[in-house]
Amino acid sequence: MPAPKKGPRLSGSPQHQKLMMANMAAHLFAAEGIVTTVSRAKLLRPLAESLITKAKKGGLHEKRQVMAVITDRDVAAKLFDDIGPRYADRPGGY
């Protein structure tokens, strides 16, 4: 997960921002779309793209890295079983 930038954050501490981004990413993958503000979407995009790239590779190490961010096993399974293979041919920019 990218480190939060210095300066103003979305709300509160860097730990809260990390947890909020992880929660938003989990909801994004579960519903395959969310409604949020532009600033939150701009912060969520790099995290979501890195998780999709790890799901495309699909190894054990990548699964453990994704589970460190997304704690819901069902969402992680959906990411590796459905979403990752869907973007297997794309080099990025999901």
Side-chain angles (χ1 to χ4, degrees):
M1 176 180 290
K5 296 178 180 171
K6 293 183 179 180
R9 293 180 176 83
L10 293 179
S11 58
S13 64
Q15 294 85 10
H16 183 259
Q17 183 173 338
K18 279 186 177 182
L19 290 173
M20 189 169 59
M21 289 293 114
N23 192 18
M24 286 176 61
H27 286 289
L28 173 68
F29 296 136
E32 297 189 13
I34 56 173
V35 177
T36 185
T37 62
V38 174
S39 60
R40 287 181 183 178
K42 285 182 180 180
L43 289 177
L44 178 63
R45 184 175 182 169
L47 174 64
E49 287 185 356
S50 69
L51 293 175
I52 291 173
T53 302
K54 289 173 185 172
K56 282 172 41 178
K57 293 179 183 176
L60 180 62
H61 181 64
E62 286 81 11
K63 287 183 182 180
R64 288 181 175 164
Q65 285 180 330
V66 169
M67 286 299 294
V69 177
I70 298 175
T71 56
D72 188 4
R73 289 183 179 266
D74 295 332
V75 175
K78 181 177 181 179
L79 179 62
F80 278 92
D81 295 338
D82 299 335
I83 298 172
R86 186 184 311 163
Y87 297 110
D89 298 332
R90 292 191 67 166
Y94 316 108

